[in-house]
Amino acid sequence: MDMKQFIQEMPKAELHLHIEGTVSPKRVLELADRNGVNIEFKSEKELLDAQDYGTPPLENFLKYHYMCSDVLRTGRDIFEITQDYLEKCVIENTRHVELSFDPQGHLERGIEFGELIDALNKARKDSPVSTQLVMCMNRDRTLESALEMLKLAEDYKDDIVGLGLDSVEEGNPPVKFQEYYDRGRELGFKLTAHCDCDQNNAVEHARQCIHDLGVHRIDHGVHVMDDPQLIEDVKERGITLTMCPTWRLGDPGPRRIPAIRKMLEMNVPACLNTDDPEEFASRYMSNMLSVVQEQGEFSAEEMTQFMRNAFVGSWIPDARRGAYLKELNAHLNTFKYKSDTS
Ligand code: HPA
Ligand code: ZN
């Protein structure tokens, strides 16, 4: 068994995945056509070429991301894209996904909250892949809007496991959403928030997430590594960093490899995720992991450790976690046995 096959067949979990970032250029065009939405790009090639985001990377990426999300207009659209993504997970040997969705944009475009959750659930229930939902607030919108969404989410507590924060970080510090997080914790939701890469006040934002919001995970969170105290804090509290060493069209390869190696060496709980697989050149799990493994020269044990961290950081019952971890260890042992005997 070579490394590629080892990674392809590895039982996987993905904790940082936006369902709106799984719509392929082909699908974007089909949905734009079906829903009568006029988008600026007219062919798959034009859409793919536009994935060279340039600078500022987060803002330009988000512009593309929201343009693609804008073609989603009905529960049927949400159902179909979720079904497509979960079919991909089967091929990727992804066993468990904590799937983020952004309700605010969907509601604005006319999908009701219940319809949105029903559509996600309809696709989830027929899939062999285990999934849980994470509701993300766009941090460039208001606290009031976030509190309204939380009120709606209270009726779907069996479906939504956690709350998150995404979109434009500049000028929107985590504490803007203190009340949303406090209320969410009281209601029993798990908590995460994006701390994106290379943002102003990145270290302070990570500190706010850990100490003010009291998150259980951080999405990305690479700048935790800039502060020895925050490194200690995430280790002590078991806060998993859901890193996404994705790369854009035109990049030489995965970003942030030195940081993820340092996380591994310092026993910081970090896992590897695709974020928005149809919007980055890194695409889906096996491809992203294989290129990260090659370029970072990570061993099979090290790749297994990242995946162990994903299952440990997931919000599933301990019995299921134990079963996944056993399967993951067995996969590593088979690889080692075959390597020793070949
Ligand atoms: N960061 C912020 N907002 C997002 C992201 C991200 O990585 N993906 C989708 N929305
Ligand atoms: Zn993200």
Side-chain angles (χ1 to χ4, degrees):
M1 195 193 303
D2 66 12
M3 260 299 186
K4 267 210 160 61
Q5 189 185 353
F6 169 69
I7 287 170
Q8 161 59 35
E9 292 176 5
M10 177 186 275
K12 301 177 186 71
E14 177 151 52
L15 306 185
H16 185 161
L17 179 282
H18 302 262
I19 195 62
E20 297 85 359
T22 67
V23 193
S24 68
K26 181 164 178 274
R27 251 319 200 184
V28 169
L29 293 168
E30 284 168 5
L31 290 172
D33 189 43
R34 184 161 95 191
N35 293 328
V37 181
N38 189 17
I39 58 167
E40 100 189 62
F41 300 104
K42 302 298 170 208
S43 68
E44 277 181 64
K45 180 169 183 320
E46 280 182 37
L47 278 157
L48 280 172
D49 288 349
Q51 294 187 3
D52 186 349
Y53 301 114
T55 310
L58 178 61
E59 282 72 8
N60 288 356
F61 160 76
L62 288 172
K63 189 163 163 254
Y64 179 88
H65 180 71
Y66 293 130
M67 180 206 63
C68 294
S69 305
D70 192 39
V71 305
L72 302 168
R73 295 296 171 105
T74 66
R76 177 184 165 199
D77 301 340
I78 301 292
F79 165 71
E80 287 176 0
I81 64 161
T82 308
Q83 194 178 44
D84 287 351
Y85 168 67
L86 292 175
E87 278 171 13
K88 280 270 181 359
C89 289
V90 173
I91 301 166
E92 299 284 316
N93 274 308
T94 299
R95 299 277 196 277
H96 177 71
V97 184
E98 284 170 15
L99 186 156
S100 290
F101 67 102
D102 280 8
Q104 289 153 311
H106 299 306
L107 264 64
E108 254 169 26
R109 288 184 290 271
I111 305 177
E112 285 181 8
F113 196 85
E115 189 187 0
L116 175 63
I117 306 296
D118 286 350
L120 291 162
N121 284 349
K122 189 166 165 229
R124 292 166 62 215
K125 90 175 166 17
D126 290 332
S127 170
V129 180
S130 130
T131 48
Q132 301 194 128
L133 300 178
V134 178
M135 181 173 87
C136 270
M137 290 302 103
N138 293 154
R139 63 204 301 162
D140 44 349
R141 297 177 189 254
T142 62
L143 169 66
E144 289 66 34
S145 168
L147 292 172
E148 257 171 55
M149 293 299 128
L150 187 54
K151 193 104 205 76
L152 294 170
E154 277 185 49
D155 289 340
Y156 297 92
K157 283 218 43 233
D158 291 344
D159 306 305
I160 301 170
V161 69
L163 307 177
L165 195 62
D166 64 9
S167 198
V168 182
E169 188 161 332
E170 176 78 46
N172 298 295
V175 289
K176 174 178 164 187
F177 294 92
Q178 186 72 54
E179 197 180 332
Y180 169 78
Y181 276 83
D182 288 347
R183 179 92 188 104
R185 176 183 301 95
E186 274 167 28
L187 291 167
F189 289 105
K190 296 285 188 185
L191 306 174
T192 183
H194 277 60
C195 285
D196 262 291
C197 206
D198 300 326
Q199 299 297 298
N200 281 333
N201 305 319
V203 174
E204 167 58 14
H205 286 188
R207 193 204 61 73
Q208 290 179 9
C209 282
I210 298 166
H211 290 283
D212 298 328
L213 305 188
V215 294
H216 304 100
R217 289 203 302 245
I218 293 180
D219 291 319
H220 301 295
V222 68
H223 294 287
V224 163
M225 301 310 286
D226 298 344
D227 182 329
Q229 183 58 51
L230 294 185
I231 294 177
E232 280 319 300
D233 294 339
V234 295
K235 286 169 68 166
E236 201 180 297
R237 297 179 182 211
I239 296 174
T240 303
L241 307 182
T242 68
M243 292 293 291
C244 303
T246 54
W247 57 97
R248 297 155 302 194
L249 184 72
D251 283 340
R255 296 174 286 170
R256 303 153 203 159
I257 282 190
I260 63 173
R261 170 154 297 290
K262 196 166 158 204
M263 289 171 186
L264 201 64
E265 284 165 1
M266 296 186 76
N267 290 320
V268 170
C271 62
L272 307 180
N273 306 269
T274 64
D275 207 356
D276 300 278
E278 288 290 347
E279 298 174 344
F280 289 109
S282 33
R283 293 291 184 263
Y284 290 88
M285 281 298 263
S286 297
N287 182 64
M288 181 275 290
L289 291 171
S290 278
V291 179
V292 166
Q293 183 277 318
E294 256 172 52
Q295 296 205 8
E297 298 181 9
F298 291 108
S299 66
E301 277 88 352
E302 288 172 326
M303 295 309 291
T304 304
Q305 185 57 41
F306 286 124
M307 200 51 72
R308 214 174 269 132
N309 293 343
F311 285 112
V312 170
S314 71
W315 294 325
I316 51 177
D318 282 341
R320 280 196 28 227
R321 190 189 328 281
Y324 287 131
L325 290 172
K326 229 170 150 175
E327 196 189 342
L328 186 60
N329 285 340
H331 182 63
L332 176 63
N333 288 335
T334 305
F335 177 76
K336 289 206 280 204
Y337 176 78
K338 288 195 175 162
S339 305
D340 288 348
T341 53
S342 63

